[in-house]
Amino acid sequence: MRPTVHHVAEEAGVSLATVDRVLNRRPGVRAKTVTRVNEAIAKLGYVRDISAANLAKQRVYNLVFIIPEGPNSFMLGLESELGQAKLYSALERINLDILKVRAFDSDALANVLDGLDLTQISGVALVATESHRVQGALARLRQANIPVVTLVSDVSAAHRDHYVGIDNVAAGRTAASLMGRFVGHKPGKIALLAGSMLVRDHVERRIGFEQVISAEFPELDCLTVQEGRDDAMVTRSVLADFLGREPGIVGLYSIGAGNRGVIDVLTSKPEYGSIAVVAHELTEHSKRALREGVFDAVINQDAGHEVRSAIRLLKASIDETQVIAKQEIIRIEIYIRDNLP
Amino acid sequence: MRPTVHHVAEEAGVSLATVDRVLNRRPGVRAKTVTRVNEAIAKLGYVRDISAANLAKQRVYNLVFIIPEGPNSFMLGLESELGQAKLYSALERINLDILKVRAFDSDALANVLDGLDLTQISGVALVATESHRVQGALARLRQANIPVVTLVSDVSAAHRDHYVGIDNVAAGRTAASLMGRFVGHKPGKIALLAGSMLVRDHVERRIGFEQVISAEFPELDCLTVQEGRDDAMVTRSVLADFLGREPGIVGLYSIGAGNRGVIDVLTSKPEYGSIAVVAHELTEHSKRALREGVFDAVINQDAGHEVRSAIRLLKASIDETQVIAKQEIIRIEIYIRDNLP
DNA sequence: CTGAAAGCGCTTACAG
DNA sequence: CTGAAAGCGCTTACAG
């Protein structure tokens, strides 16, 4: 049988209240008593039963998720996963608040962060757009002992406790290796289409992509990055123009969102059918594009996994417990027509 | 505030004990009283706090995992994940027992299943080798109301509650699509190497693979399947012989385990360097093979995810609660050199 | 067929 | 600085 606080109290010759004080590092216990209790804990191999503790405390975890608003399918998917998570989290005394903020707008993000009532919040997860103000706001949270997790798009490591997302340089390299093989060593130009070069994830994917193309597929030539603002409408006109005026394109790497716009353009002219396409994020649109042969591969990160992982990491920070490291690694998933979920 | 048993009792005008009887469907309550309590539950939207219930019950979940023994790296990985899971599961009153049985030996498996003490067990997960006797043994478990989950290799759906693993036909199709692209539409022969044609997963992968090759890459010719018993030594000699006597092989699909043997043979002669290779399961060996360009792609299923999923599914069956369906889907993962975890 | 009281492992005022 | 008692939401003998 697992030892309980009662066993520890008896072993240390103190009361339950004192054991509890030591366990929770509350002040007002003599150093000598602390030592006695800690020795008893070590001797018995006592491990606290967190659910019993939470029951007694009537603890509630108030977690705030801040995500970009707008018609980006991936972010809508993330939001829907958060909705799902909200339902079952309630059973574990976890409250999820979802706040939306303008995409790519670091000031708007900083405003939301600054507006949080720190006395009401146990942890924060955010899809970051980095800026000096955002960094300051995050520092304030962490000073208040509120754990911060970045989701999908990171800030520099000093300003958050964890990053939940993929290694975007590696994702770009992965895209490039697939692209090179799909094109099949015939020379040509590669079009690059991103949401914005202001967010770290898109920048990093591009870096990884160009690394591998220049090192291993020198016959391919990466053109200047076009920006579609992760918006299907903008993407459509930007890409249509670009393909119209650049002949000899054999491959397209769609770094960001806006896949609907990409698909519209690619299916608008028969000659675009031969372009090898690697895109990001599995959505209903990109799944269909894979099935119909418009896209050749999609690199994905599992939004549901990311949401659950962020929740587990925040809760573990708050409880000061361990997570299972391998469970929290977000994989760079490759999808082709045949392994769609 | 969430309603509790106290609120339900008051609303229904009964005692806590009676509420508890209804909640747990215990006998000895008048039908009329049952209705009153259920109405109160519905009216208040009461949801039982499982951790409080488990605390009161001092409930322990005894889960048995049955996996094949032997030097198969994937199964050793699965075992190590089970070891990990054992550590943290203890915190949630879950006991894991790991039983090992000879690989591909359905009688040995049936013997272990028949030997289980059904009064001591809450749930069973097994890597299945199917047979009539195994089916019978599983039926006996399920009659005793013990949930059964198959892991990695399935039996027919009537004999288990859940299957935790990938769709192996789709995995085979995925391997074929990659193979076809990697070979690059030049004609040639494809070698197929499996562990055993007695296990469903290997049979299914082969079916999927040949479907896609014959439909979409008619220039490729699949040769007779060789069996390596998921053993590196056996695999090595079988494959070396085979490649020695079959000229014109442009691709190799390694359906099962025994990757070490495959790597040894492929690196033994320079002319094998041009063979496109798709294999299964990410292990230290196959990762190295990807990095060094010996393998072109590896199809993987995440053993850690499978173990955790099996535990969650068994626990949910026992508690009669819901799981998050999407979290329990095991993905057909594709790894190339660039997206290794 | 039903209920009052004690207990699961932990925490929290309150008293001293 | 320390302890006795009550309580978190649920379940379990025991009594009637």
Side-chain angles (χ1 to χ4, degrees):
Chain A
M1 258 211 30
R2 259 173 74 183
T4 71
V5 274
H6 290 93
H7 300 117
V8 175
E10 188 171 14
E11 176 72 29
V14 299
S15 73
L16 291 181
T18 296
V19 172
D20 187 71
R21 286 182 188 104
V22 175
L23 242 32
N24 293 290
R25 301 199 200 100
R26 283 193 217 99
V29 185
R30 262 195 308 172
K32 214 171 122 190
T33 315
V34 173
T35 311
R36 275 230 307 284
V37 173
N38 280 328
E39 279 168 3
I41 288 172
K43 179 170 171 198
L44 298 174
Y46 169 80
V47 180
R48 141 127 113 292
D49 180 333
I50 301 250
S51 34
N54 284 344
L55 176 60
K57 279 200 265 215
Q58 302 200 74
R59 193 179 200 334
V60 175
Y61 301 85
N62 284 314
L63 306 185
V64 177
F65 277 73
I66 310 175
I67 62 175
E69 64 191 7
N72 174 337
S73 295
F74 175 75
M75 293 302 168
L76 292 174
L78 195 70
E79 194 178 345
S80 127
E81 293 293 344
L82 277 167
Q84 272 260 307
K86 215 176 153 105
L87 297 177
Y88 75 84
S89 295
L91 300 176
E92 300 170 26
R93 300 164 184 280
I94 297 172
N95 244 322
L96 296 186
D97 275 320
I98 303 165
L99 268 36
K100 306 190 53 170
V101 68
R102 245 184 104 220
F104 306 130
D105 184 340
S106 59
D107 277 335
L109 178 58
N111 289 342
V112 169
L113 289 169
D114 284 336
L116 294 175
D117 177 356
L118 302 195
T119 63
Q120 296 302 307
I121 284 178
S122 347
V124 174
L126 72 158
V127 177
T129 304
E130 197 165 13
S131 75
H132 206 70
R133 272 196 66 201
V134 168
Q135 291 176 349
L138 295 180
R140 192 179 67 103
L141 288 177
R142 301 182 68 213
Q143 259 157 37
N145 212 14
I146 294 174
V148 171
V149 157
T150 48
L151 207 59
V152 181
S153 182
D154 201 7
V155 298
S156 69
H159 296 96
R160 43 75 176 162
D161 297 277
H162 287 277
Y163 164 57
V164 177
I166 56 175
D167 174 343
N168 283 297
V169 175
R173 297 179 61 93
T174 304
S177 285
L178 294 171
M179 179 68 80
R181 292 197 182 243
F182 290 169
V183 169
H185 287 282
K186 64 173 186 263
K189 298 179 193 165
I190 305 288
L192 299 186
L193 180 69
S196 158
M197 284 291 113
L198 292 177
V199 284
R200 219 175 243 257
D201 46 349
H202 293 193
V203 173
E204 289 176 349
R205 287 174 192 172
R206 178 200 179 178
I207 292 171
F209 188 84
E210 295 197 341
Q211 278 173 1
V212 169
I213 293 293
S214 67
E216 297 179 28
F217 303 97
E219 70 280 11
L220 297 178
D221 185 19
C222 290
L223 301 173
T224 318
V225 180
Q226 305 299 302
E227 301 190 13
R229 300 203 61 74
D230 283 0
D231 180 302
M233 309 276 274
V234 180
T235 297
R236 185 183 302 131
S237 75
V238 167
L239 183 62
D241 278 11
F242 191 71
L243 291 187
R245 68 174 187 269
E246 281 283 357
I249 289 183
V250 296
L252 166 65
Y253 177 32
S254 174
I255 295 177
N259 282 328
R260 248 167 315 167
V262 175
I263 295 166
D264 286 351
V265 174
L266 288 174
T267 51
S268 68
K269 294 196 183 170
E271 63 263 40
Y272 295 160
S274 62
I275 298 178
V277 181
V278 178
H280 274 268
E281 313 312 359
L282 215 53
T283 61
E284 281 317 309
H285 307 291
S286 62
K287 279 187 198 171
R288 195 162 41 79
L290 281 176
R291 274 191 220 101
E292 296 174 357
V294 179
F295 286 1
D296 293 276
V298 167
I299 314 270
N300 186 61
Q301 49 190 320
D302 185 324
H305 186 191
E306 293 181 322
V307 164
R308 292 184 288 271
S309 180
I311 294 172
R312 282 191 296 261
L313 288 166
L314 287 173
K315 185 163 185 299
S317 279
I318 296 165
D319 292 339
E320 300 182 51
T321 56
Q322 297 274 307
V323 295
I324 308 165
K326 285 180 58 185
Q327 188 177 11
E328 310 310 344
I329 294 171
I330 310 298
R331 287 178 288 272
I332 300 170
E333 301 175 348
I334 299 173
Y335 288 102
I336 60 176
R337 181 200 56 192
D338 304 281
N339 68 330
L340 286 175
Chain B
M1 258 210 32
R2 261 174 72 182
T4 71
V5 273
H6 291 91
H7 301 116
V8 175
E10 188 171 13
E11 176 72 28
V14 298
S15 73
L16 291 181
T18 297
V19 172
D20 188 73
R21 285 181 188 106
V22 175
L23 243 30
N24 293 290
R25 300 200 200 99
R26 281 191 218 102
V29 186
R30 262 195 307 170
K32 215 171 123 188
T33 314
V34 172
T35 310
R36 276 228 308 282
V37 172
N38 281 328
E39 279 169 3
I41 289 172
K43 179 171 172 196
L44 299 175
Y46 170 80
V47 181
R48 140 127 113 293
D49 180 335
I50 302 249
S51 32
N54 283 344
L55 175 60
K57 278 199 265 215
Q58 304 200 76
R59 196 185 198 328
V60 175
Y61 301 84
N62 286 313
L63 307 185
V64 177
F65 277 72
I66 310 175
I67 62 175
E69 66 191 5
N72 174 338
S73 295
F74 176 74
M75 292 303 168
L76 292 174
L78 194 71
E79 193 177 347
S80 127
E81 292 293 343
L82 276 167
Q84 271 260 309
K86 216 176 153 107
L87 297 177
Y88 76 84
S89 294
L91 300 176
E92 301 170 25
R93 301 163 183 282
I94 297 172
N95 245 323
L96 296 186
D97 275 321
I98 303 165
L99 268 37
K100 306 189 55 169
V101 68
R102 247 185 101 218
F104 307 130
D105 184 340
S106 59
D107 276 334
L109 177 59
N111 288 342
V112 169
L113 289 169
D114 284 337
L116 294 173
D117 177 356
L118 303 195
T119 63
Q120 296 303 307
I121 284 180
S122 345
V124 173
L126 71 157
V127 177
T129 304
E130 198 165 12
S131 75
H132 205 69
R133 270 195 67 202
V134 168
Q135 291 176 349
L138 295 179
R140 191 180 67 104
L141 288 176
R142 299 182 70 212
Q143 258 157 39
N145 212 14
I146 294 175
V148 171
V149 157
T150 48
L151 208 57
V152 182
S153 183
D154 201 8
V155 298
S156 70
H159 296 97
R160 43 73 176 165
D161 296 278
H162 287 277
Y163 164 57
V164 177
I166 57 175
D167 173 342
N168 283 297
V169 175
R173 297 179 62 92
T174 304
S177 285
L178 293 171
M179 178 67 81
R181 291 196 182 245
F182 291 168
V183 169
H185 286 282
K186 63 172 187 264
K189 297 180 193 162
I190 306 288
L192 299 185
L193 181 69
S196 158
M197 284 290 113
L198 292 176
V199 285
R200 219 176 242 256
D201 46 350
H202 293 192
V203 173
E204 290 176 349
R205 287 174 191 172
R206 177 199 180 181
I207 291 172
F209 188 85
E210 296 198 340
Q211 278 173 1
V212 169
I213 293 293
S214 68
E216 298 179 27
F217 304 96
E219 71 279 11
L220 297 178
D221 186 20
C222 292
L223 302 173
T224 318
V225 180
Q226 304 301 301
E227 302 190 13
R229 301 205 60 74
D230 283 2
D231 180 302
M233 310 277 274
V234 180
T235 296
R236 186 183 300 133
S237 74
V238 167
L239 184 61
D241 278 10
F242 192 69
L243 292 187
R245 68 174 186 270
E246 280 284 355
I249 288 183
V250 295
L252 167 65
Y253 178 33
S254 174
I255 295 176
N259 282 327
R260 248 168 314 169
V262 175
I263 295 166
D264 287 351
V265 174
L266 288 174
T267 51
S268 67
K269 294 196 183 170
E271 63 261 40
Y272 294 161
S274 62
I275 297 177
V277 181
V278 178
H280 274 269
E281 313 313 358
L282 215 53
T283 61
E284 282 316 310
H285 307 293
S286 63
K287 280 188 198 171
R288 194 161 42 78
L290 281 176
R291 275 192 220 101
E292 295 175 358
V294 179
F295 286 2
D296 293 275
V298 167
I299 315 272
N300 186 61
Q301 48 190 321
D302 185 324
H305 186 190
E306 293 180 323
V307 164
R308 292 185 288 271
S309 181
I311 294 172
R312 281 191 297 261
L313 288 166
L314 288 173
K315 185 165 186 299
S317 278
I318 297 164
D319 291 340
E320 301 183 53
T321 58
Q322 297 275 305
V323 295
I324 307 166
K326 285 180 59 185
Q327 188 178 11
E328 312 309 345
I329 295 171
I330 310 298
R331 287 178 287 272
I332 300 170
E333 301 175 348
I334 300 173
Y335 287 101
I336 60 176
R337 181 201 57 191
D338 304 281
N339 68 330
L340 286 175

